[in-house]
Amino acid sequence: MTKRTRPANTMPTLVNERLRIWGQCVRKQRVQQNITARDLCARLDISRPTLQRMERGAASVNVGLFLAAFHVLGMLGMAAPELEVALWQMDSPAIRSRPGLRKSDDDYF
């Protein structure tokens, strides 16, 4: 059974941009660290076409593979920092924030 993926144009623009940046980052770090595509594929247990899609920032690549690549390349903490505890603990109050808004922007809507 083939995997169904969302078309790239249905993904939010910000998400596509982040994936593209993540892909560029994986490629740049792989090249700078002199890791061949074959070696990275072997360490991630993926095919060469999957690595090529990852380095292009394709939305069809599992986010877990991006995170695994960041880990292998030694940059997981920079590329995907830990979330604040309040965001994932069930007993914490709900947090809904909009970065960049100041108190004076309360009448934004």
Side-chain angles (χ1 to χ4, degrees):
M1 184 170 178
T2 60
K3 181 177 160 183
R4 290 177 36 182
T5 59
R6 283 176 80 167
N9 60 355
T10 64
M11 199 65 79
T13 304
L14 182 59
V15 172
N16 282 328
E17 180 64 18
R18 291 281 165 88
L19 289 171
R20 188 183 62 76
I21 290 169
W22 280 11
Q24 288 176 343
C25 191
V26 168
R27 177 162 174 73
K28 180 180 178 184
Q29 292 302 313
R30 177 180 66 77
V31 170
Q32 282 186 338
Q33 295 179 29
N34 294 320
I35 299 173
T36 65
R38 177 180 289 171
D39 289 342
L40 187 57
C41 287
R43 292 189 69 184
L44 296 174
D45 193 27
I46 61 174
S47 66
R48 181 66 191 264
T50 299
L51 179 61
Q52 290 171 335
R53 285 194 313 275
M54 179 188 293
E55 290 182 347
R56 284 193 308 264
S60 62
V61 176
N62 183 318
V63 70
L65 289 178
F66 276 104
L67 296 175
F70 293 151
H71 177 70
V72 167
L73 295 168
M75 52 186 243
L76 180 61
M78 290 182 289
E82 287 188 37
L83 294 174
E84 294 180 30
V85 173
L87 293 173
W88 56 270
Q89 276 190 343
M90 297 305 285
D91 58 350
S92 297
I95 298 175
R96 183 175 175 111
S97 67
R98 297 189 42 221
L101 290 182
R102 298 176 301 277
K103 281 273 189 205
S104 61
D105 292 336
D106 286 340
D107 62 343
Y108 179 75
F109 286 102

